[in-house]
Amino acid sequence: MSLLPVAAVLESLLAALQSSAQVLLNAPTGAGKSTWLPLQLLKADWLNGKIIMLEPRRLAARSVAHRLAQQLGETVGQTVGYRMRAETKVSAQTRLEVVTEGILTRMLQQDPELSGVSLVILDEFHERSLQADLALALLLDVQEGLRDDLRLLIMSATLDDARLTHLLPDAPVIRSEGRSFPVVRSYMPVSAHERLDHSASHAALNLLRQESGSLLLFLPGVGEIKRTAELLEQRVDANTDICPLYGALPLAEQQKAIDPSPSGRRKVVLATNIAETSLTIDGIRLVIDSTLERVSQFDVRSGLTKLVTQRASQASMTQRAGRAGRLEPGICWHLMAAEQAERTAEYSEAEILHSDLSSLWLNLLQWGCHDVSQLKWLDTPPTAAISAAQRLLFQLGAINEQGGLTPTGRAMGDAGSDPRLAAMLCAAQSVGEDALATAALLAAIIEEPPRNGGVDLRNALYHPQSHWQRRANQLTKRLGNCRGRVALDDAAFWLAHAFPDRIANLRGQDGRYLLANGLGAAMEADDALARTPWLIVANLLQGVNNSEARILLALPCDIDLLAARLPHLISEQTSVEWDDAKGTLRAWKRQQLGRLVIKAQPLAKPSAEELSLALLNWVRNQGISALNWSDSAKQLRLRLQCAAQWLPEVNWPAVDDDSLLDSLESWLLPALDGVRDLRGLQNINLTDALLGLMDWSMRQRLDTALPTHYTVPTGSRLPLQYFSDKPPVLAVRLQEVFGEQHSPKIAEGRVALVLELLSPAHRPLQITRDLAAFWQGSYREVQKEMKGRYPKHAWPDDPGNALPTRRTKRYQ
């Protein structure tokens, strides 16, 4: 083990840790930074406290802890232990704890000083997970304000040194040069029209025929792994095992992929990017890299997450190739053209930039931080995502109107779960043992939803797997009560505390639903739940290309019982609406849950105020074009839009469709006095209504700078036509602009009018923005033709200096 590459930099690393609060270690794959270095750090006399090592993934954390303990001749839980969700193996003698994401944050929240801890290691930091970025920000805050003796080691095979050194300018960078074994990397472009499972299996079979040893094949997701596995099982040799590897697999199957193959056998491991980490898969010397990965992206507008398949970064491809050289010289084929690989991003985008930040914001509030700028970040959390997080936390009762933590919010922070699930757990905790047991089992299932159990959440509730029960017991124990029994009949009631905005009503077509938050969602029409009138949706995936969201996990509910037990979710609204079928206005009193109508009953004759609000709602639903826009009103809108462009120093009212719909109360409502039906609505003078958006001085400036009419030299007052995408047009008989040297201008001299020059019969002759050029140029052709057609009218040779006229020669 002392021959591992990282051994060569051990002394310089220890010296750097002694003198510096933060140290960066850039060590190639297979260097021993995860599975050897922590044990050497334990031997340092000056590190007399515990070492905490953060591993991004549970599979890697468990594997690393076992490998470290094995080198000491011990079992996990003695000198080396681990902590992860639903599973902990530590003891009083544990000095090195391998922890997964979220666990370190929880440890910091419970004990900000990290008492008894000398060193924190952030391993595989290149993955830039949300929890790793949060942990780094909190740890830097701890070092600055509480523990100047706490040491922080950030390590990876592909660290973004430039950005990290900018954040941590005093941190020494230690580099372990060279790999354990060389890896020959080749690039194999595949047809864009060929399915990934076919191209990947074909490449794997070719490499297996050419080379000895076991093979690791990187694929973006579970679906691709299963389809590729089916293709390979039909074609590989009898001595080759096909071993899938992804996070949701049972532990025994994961271990089969990691363990060495029996003598005389080889294996093909089909893995997601879970195998990029410090996980060592025995016997691998061949790698096929699909160069793809699947990532989650949060949509702040819908509050939903979608899965996106994209090219892996160059750093990820380097990590993947490195798997082939962990134990002996290896070979890696990247299924991509070399020039295409050069154009991919150098590093993966940080998860913090495209994730739901409700959990992060709750953690920050619990930390005492009310502004992200109070902490140091490698990538600052986006403002829009923080705002979305604040809206959700307010809805869940975690924060008040001022943005501060409520008592419920503090309890949710201590629960150590996603905010939605924490809200459910805290509500149940206040009721009793059975309530908490029910909520805890629901939370455990939703945290790790079943993959093949269908949409109906009852299937999992009635037949809970052992890991869900372990997690549920952990949650109830954490909240101080673990003796309750699950009450399945109350499951929907507790689930509504977590997902009040995702209560859903059948839309009348099989499998299509409307959610309380106004979003549409659907499941397969042949699913057993597809005709259920009311559901609570616990797991929802954003649709691709703006299609309806996909319902992955849901629970039927009795909406009347739910409304009775959770009256705060229900609002009563009186509305007056246009009935298209009957051609009249009708008043309704409705019980609503968000956008869903639970009950509705007709009311008697509505008041004038209710009528006006109903008409506004009708306009909002139909769109601004449903109003009767006269030419005058259309021109006023265009004048205001042009004024905003040409005279930007004035704060002109916005009159685009969306802005007018948003401000109906300001300009349309005052004009509805006495209007009692749609016929009256269509007769409203919209020009006068829009003028109400401006004060007197603004109206005067608009009329002066962008007039409705323009007076030409003859005294004729002619209308101007304004447009959204081109200059205004003045249609004028050519004789009336004789003597004009230049095209007239408006907008305080900033915009030249387009002149549509007309014949005496008001037919177009020429369109120009440069009158002087017209007089000098094409006027001669017009003059020649018009003299013969209109001999009674003047057609002077020097129109720029002639007198303008509206009359024939006889009256001049």
Side-chain angles (χ1 to χ4, degrees):
M1 297 295 287
S2 61
L3 296 178
L4 288 167
V6 77
V9 298
L10 179 60
E11 293 305 319
S12 56
L13 177 63
L14 288 169
L17 283 170
Q18 269 191 293
S19 60
S20 304
Q22 304 106 20
V23 176
L24 308 179
L25 173 60
N26 197 328
T29 299
K33 62 184 179 300
S34 305
T35 55
W36 179 79
L37 178 62
L39 296 180
Q40 312 315 307
L41 296 176
L42 279 179
K43 298 175 184 177
D45 295 339
W46 53 274
L47 283 175
N48 50 17
K50 279 187 178 181
I51 297 176
I52 305 294
M53 183 161 74
L54 175 66
E55 284 292 339
R57 302 171 189 270
R58 282 182 288 170
L59 178 58
R62 190 185 289 113
S63 176
V64 165
H66 277 284
R67 190 171 287 263
L68 290 167
Q70 188 179 42
Q71 292 174 55
L72 296 174
E74 298 177 354
T75 58
V76 173
Q78 294 177 278
T79 304
V80 179
Y82 63 75
R83 294 179 192 262
M84 59 188 68
R85 189 170 66 194
E87 190 177 356
T88 299
K89 287 193 175 182
V90 297
S91 65
Q93 68 185 92
T94 302
R95 291 192 57 215
L96 171 60
E97 290 190 18
V98 184
V99 302
T100 53
E101 296 189 330
I103 301 296
L104 177 55
T105 304
R106 182 169 170 76
M107 293 169 74
L108 282 162
Q109 294 284 17
Q110 292 175 337
D111 178 14
E113 292 189 2
L114 285 182
S115 304
V117 175
S118 295
L119 171 66
V120 177
I121 302 172
L122 303 183
D123 194 16
E124 303 298 343
F125 193 77
H126 74 279
E127 293 195 14
R128 293 301 310 283
S129 68
L130 173 63
Q131 285 293 333
D133 273 18
L134 173 60
L136 176 59
L138 297 183
L139 285 165
L140 293 178
D141 200 39
V142 169
Q143 287 182 322
E144 192 170 294
L146 297 172
R147 288 278 311 277
D148 58 4
D149 64 321
L150 181 66
R151 294 295 183 261
L152 176 60
L153 175 60
I154 302 171
M155 58 187 198
S156 170
T158 50
L159 279 178
D160 188 349
D161 291 340
R163 301 194 62 223
L164 276 166
T165 50
H166 180 73
L167 179 69
L168 309 172
D170 299 325
V173 180
I174 308 296
R175 288 185 174 84
S176 171
E177 300 295 341
R179 298 182 184 278
S180 294
F181 299 95
V183 175
V184 178
R185 297 173 67 176
S186 302
Y187 294 88
M188 308 283 183
V190 296
S191 170
H193 304 293
E194 188 177 12
R195 278 180 38 170
L196 177 60
D197 48 347
H198 287 279
S199 57
S201 59
H202 181 69
L205 290 166
N206 281 342
L207 189 53
L208 286 169
R209 280 193 289 266
Q210 295 176 24
E211 298 288 339
S212 61
S214 291
L215 184 146
L216 172 58
L217 172 53
F218 283 99
L219 292 163
V222 176
E224 290 86 353
I225 286 176
K226 290 181 176 179
R227 289 191 294 272
T228 306
E230 289 177 6
L231 292 173
L232 288 173
E233 283 169 350
Q234 299 166 13
R235 302 175 64 185
V236 295
D237 295 338
N239 68 338
T240 303
D241 298 317
I242 305 299
C243 304
L245 180 61
Y246 50 88
L249 272 178
L251 182 59
E253 292 184 48
Q254 292 180 1
Q255 203 60 47
K256 179 184 175 183
I258 296 170
D259 289 342
S261 295
S263 178
R265 300 191 66 80
R266 66 201 302 206
K267 64 184 173 183
V268 177
V269 178
L270 295 89
T272 60
N273 55 7
I274 188 174
E276 282 180 30
T277 66
S278 42
L279 199 62
T280 296
I281 303 175
D282 283 313
I284 297 296
R285 65 172 295 267
L286 310 174
V287 168
I288 300 283
D289 174 18
S290 70
T291 72
L292 297 172
E293 63 182 1
R294 188 155 296 137
V295 297
S296 300
Q297 290 189 350
F298 179 69
D299 185 338
V300 295
R301 292 168 298 179
S302 67
L304 299 181
T305 295
K306 61 181 176 181
L307 294 177
V308 177
T309 303
Q310 63 185 27
R311 288 293 179 189
S313 68
Q314 293 183 39
S316 289
M317 286 191 280
T318 299
Q319 288 279 82
R320 293 178 179 190
R323 300 297 103 182
R326 294 298 294 266
L327 303 172
E328 58 182 306
I331 294 171
C332 174
W333 288 359
H334 300 286
L335 302 186
M336 172 194 278
E339 58 272 18
Q340 190 178 8
E342 291 173 0
R343 294 195 298 269
T344 59
E346 189 174 0
Y347 295 97
S348 300
E349 189 177 55
E351 195 177 44
I352 202 169
L353 298 177
H354 50 76
S355 293
D356 176 2
L357 299 186
S358 55
S359 181
L360 177 137
W361 187 246
L362 184 60
N363 269 299
L364 293 187
L365 291 176
Q366 195 180 8
W367 191 253
C369 175
H370 291 78
D371 188 329
V372 294
S373 64
Q374 292 175 260
L375 298 177
K376 295 177 181 177
W377 302 92
L378 203 52
D379 284 289
T380 304
T383 302
I386 291 292
S387 297
Q390 290 167 335
R391 290 193 295 273
L392 176 60
L393 292 174
F394 179 75
Q395 182 184 28
L396 295 174
I399 61 176
N400 54 33
E401 292 183 353
Q402 292 72 42
L405 273 180
T406 62
T408 298
R410 282 189 285 274
M412 286 169 57
D414 293 337
S417 295
D418 171 87
R420 287 183 181 271
L421 303 181
M424 172 178 68
L425 291 166
C426 291
Q429 180 191 25
S430 65
V431 171
E433 298 175 358
D434 292 353
L436 181 56
T438 307
L441 181 57
L442 280 167
I445 296 168
I446 293 166
E447 284 178 344
E448 291 192 49
R451 287 187 175 267
N452 301 311
V455 172
D456 196 340
L457 183 52
R458 291 175 299 186
N459 296 334
L461 281 170
Y462 294 157
H463 308 286
Q465 296 177 18
S466 58
H467 67 279
W468 291 331
Q469 291 176 320
R470 285 197 304 272
R471 174 61 172 163
N473 290 338
Q474 183 187 48
L475 289 170
T476 54
K477 186 177 180 180
R478 180 179 296 168
L479 293 168
N481 197 331
C482 53
R483 296 186 301 275
R485 299 179 64 183
V486 174
L488 296 175
D489 290 344
D490 285 339
F493 172 69
W494 295 116
L495 197 62
H497 287 77
F499 302 99
D501 55 331
R502 296 188 190 173
I503 296 171
N505 185 210
L506 189 65
R507 280 181 162 182
Q509 300 182 45
D510 288 351
R512 298 184 66 239
Y513 286 80
L514 178 67
L515 274 60
N517 59 16
L519 293 175
M523 67 180 77
E524 296 295 334
D526 58 356
D527 193 281
L529 278 188
R531 293 176 180 81
T532 306
W534 290 89
L535 299 172
I536 305 177
V537 181
N539 201 344
L540 197 61
L541 191 65
Q542 176 75 60
V544 179
N545 298 325
N546 298 318
S547 61
E548 284 185 314
R550 197 165 97 234
I551 299 173
L552 302 179
L553 200 61
L555 190 66
C557 67
D558 182 327
I559 195 62
D560 293 325
L561 184 59
L562 207 60
R565 296 184 68 182
L566 295 170
H568 67 281
L569 296 180
I570 310 302
S571 63
E572 284 200 350
Q573 298 184 10
T574 301
S575 61
V576 184
E577 298 161 0
W578 182 255
D579 188 328
D580 287 317
K582 297 189 176 181
T584 185
L585 286 164
R586 298 187 67 188
W588 295 89
K589 183 177 182 180
R590 291 191 175 97
Q591 275 192 338
Q592 289 195 207
L593 196 162
R595 296 283 294 275
L596 304 176
V597 177
I598 298 175
K599 290 180 181 177
Q601 61 184 87
L603 292 177
K605 186 176 180 180
S607 66
E609 180 182 358
E610 290 170 334
L611 267 175
S612 295
L613 291 176
L615 290 168
L616 290 188
N617 287 332
W618 183 85
V619 173
R620 279 203 174 93
N621 291 330
Q622 298 295 317
I624 207 72
S625 60
L627 294 171
N628 185 19
W629 290 93
S630 65
D631 288 341
S632 170
K634 291 176 184 176
Q635 282 293 298
L636 177 55
R637 287 184 69 186
L638 287 167
R639 288 164 65 207
L640 283 167
Q641 289 172 330
C642 291
Q645 181 181 349
W646 299 334
L647 305 172
E649 67 272 14
V650 179
N651 187 24
W652 301 101
V655 289
D656 58 279
D657 287 4
D658 289 341
S659 297
L660 288 180
L661 287 174
D662 289 342
S663 61
L664 288 175
E665 285 79 5
S666 301
W667 65 276
L668 186 58
L669 184 58
L672 293 180
D673 187 25
V675 177
R676 302 195 63 81
D677 54 29
L678 289 185
R679 180 179 296 177
L681 181 64
Q682 297 298 332
N683 290 331
I684 287 175
N685 187 324
L686 294 178
T687 303
D688 289 345
L690 286 179
L691 287 172
L693 289 169
M694 297 181 285
D695 59 25
W696 183 85
S697 63
M698 190 178 286
R699 289 190 208 178
Q700 290 295 107
R701 185 162 183 183
L702 181 69
D703 288 342
T704 303
L706 281 80
T708 59
H709 291 72
Y710 186 84
T711 303
V712 294
T714 59
S716 296
R717 187 170 177 269
L718 303 174
L720 291 174
Q721 286 292 319
Y722 289 85
F723 302 91
S724 61
D725 56 350
K726 58 185 179 182
V729 174
L730 173 66
V732 56
R733 286 186 297 178
L734 187 147
Q735 280 80 9
E736 295 199 60
V737 291
F738 285 163
E740 290 291 286
Q741 296 293 329
H742 303 285
S743 296
K745 293 185 177 182
I746 62 167
E748 300 173 359
R750 304 178 195 184
V751 178
L753 294 177
V754 172
L755 296 179
E756 185 179 9
L757 300 174
L758 307 175
S759 73
H762 292 272
R763 291 189 173 88
L765 294 174
Q766 183 77 20
I767 295 176
T768 182
R769 287 190 72 184
D770 189 343
L771 190 58
F774 170 67
W775 294 146
Q776 296 297 320
S778 54
Y779 170 73
R780 302 303 170 195
E781 295 297 323
V782 172
Q783 180 193 37
K784 185 186 301 183
E785 182 182 347
M786 291 295 105
K787 265 187 175 182
R789 188 175 297 181
Y790 300 102
K792 295 180 180 181
H793 290 76
W795 301 101
D797 291 334
D798 186 8
N801 291 302
L803 291 174
T805 179
R806 288 184 290 190
R807 315 181 76 177
T808 62
K809 294 177 183 177
R810 178 180 176 184
Y811 294 100
Q812 292 180 19

